Amino acid sequence: MKDTALIVVDMLYDFIDGSMACLEADKAVANTLAYIKKETPSPILFIRDHHPANHCSFAAQGGPWPPHCVQGTHGADIHVDLAPYADDDLSFFKGEDPAKEQYSGFEGINPAGQSLQEVLLLMEIEKVIVCGIATEFCVRSTAEDLLKAGFKVSVLKDCIAYVEAEGHKKALEEMASEGIRLL
Ligand code: VGL
Ligand code: ZN
């Protein structure tokens, strides 16, 4: 399936067992690893929340979240089981501007300065499969932006973790009603 990419969103320690540990995160990581081994998707792209220590989304600056995924900390690292699949050129960082919240990975930038969208177009990807954390925030906004940009989008419903069960359920229903396939 050369025209299909797997996009792994924010499977980073702060969302797994750190300051913003999400529900079902261990299961989502294990299921993502199992999916990769079974289906051998290629390419695999990683989205990474990557904040400066004074980011506007942190409580000290009046934002809704505890400090998380601060650049250079363990909390910002990809889970060790998935890290072997992450290629620098296919890793897209977001949330780096201290003044801007950025849930969507769509405009995430790789170390070469290319956006996710740009790289998907260069690779002639038409279909994307999204998994990751958190359903209600980064998974949802990444999936919706991809859909708006014309990609065929699926979400792996056993490979996502969430902040809150009701919000997770509602986000899945709304994504499905917009045309995102739940696999
Ligand atoms: C996220 C809240 C703050 C996410 C990132 O990855 O869903 N949520 N930053
Ligand atoms: Zn964040």
Side-chain angles (χ1 to χ4, degrees):
M1 51 175 196
K2 257 280 176 263
D3 62 339
T4 304
L6 177 67
I7 301 181
V8 180
V9 178
D10 287 356
M11 285 197 153
L12 311 172
Y13 282 107
D14 271 338
F15 294 118
I16 297 165
D17 60 8
S19 63
M20 286 188 63
C22 287
L23 298 167
E24 308 251 50
D26 288 332
K27 187 185 115 187
V29 171
N31 287 346
T32 298
L33 181 63
Y35 180 87
I36 290 172
K37 286 185 170 166
K38 178 157 185 274
E39 305 290 340
T40 63
S42 174
I44 305 175
L45 297 83
F46 283 79
I47 307 295
R48 299 181 58 168
D49 215 30
H50 201 237
H51 298 308
N54 63 344
H55 193 253
C56 63
S57 76
F58 298 171
Q61 280 68 246
W65 308 115
H68 62 275
C69 300
V70 173
Q71 295 167 13
T73 67
H74 169 72
D77 288 344
I78 298 174
H79 190 283
V80 66
D81 292 346
L82 300 174
Y85 300 96
D87 186 325
D88 268 358
D89 291 343
L90 299 180
S91 296
F92 298 85
F93 296 86
K94 64 181 174 64
E96 294 189 327
D97 181 343
K100 219 168 104 187
E101 179 57 291
Q102 199 175 26
Y103 290 137
S104 174
F106 190 64
E107 289 168 34
I109 300 290
N110 72 8
Q114 297 166 301
S115 72
L116 176 70
Q117 174 179 38
E118 209 177 323
V119 171
L120 290 173
L121 293 175
L122 283 171
M123 296 179 108
E124 301 186 341
I125 299 297
E126 292 173 4
K127 295 180 221 157
V128 293
I129 296 173
V130 179
C131 67
I133 312 173
T135 314
E136 308 100 299
F137 299 98
C138 292
V139 170
R140 178 180 185 166
S141 53
T142 302
E144 288 178 345
D145 280 349
L146 288 161
L147 188 73
K148 278 181 218 148
F151 295 93
K152 291 202 175 90
V153 184
S154 302
V155 166
L156 296 176
K157 63 179 181 333
D158 295 325
C159 301
I160 48 182
Y162 45 92
V163 174
E164 194 255 314
E166 267 308 302
H168 164 77
K169 224 180 116 216
K170 197 162 162 258
L172 283 179
E173 284 165 11
E174 289 174 1
M175 284 191 273
S177 75
E178 293 160 3
I180 292 168
R181 280 180 64 197
L182 303 181
L183 295 182

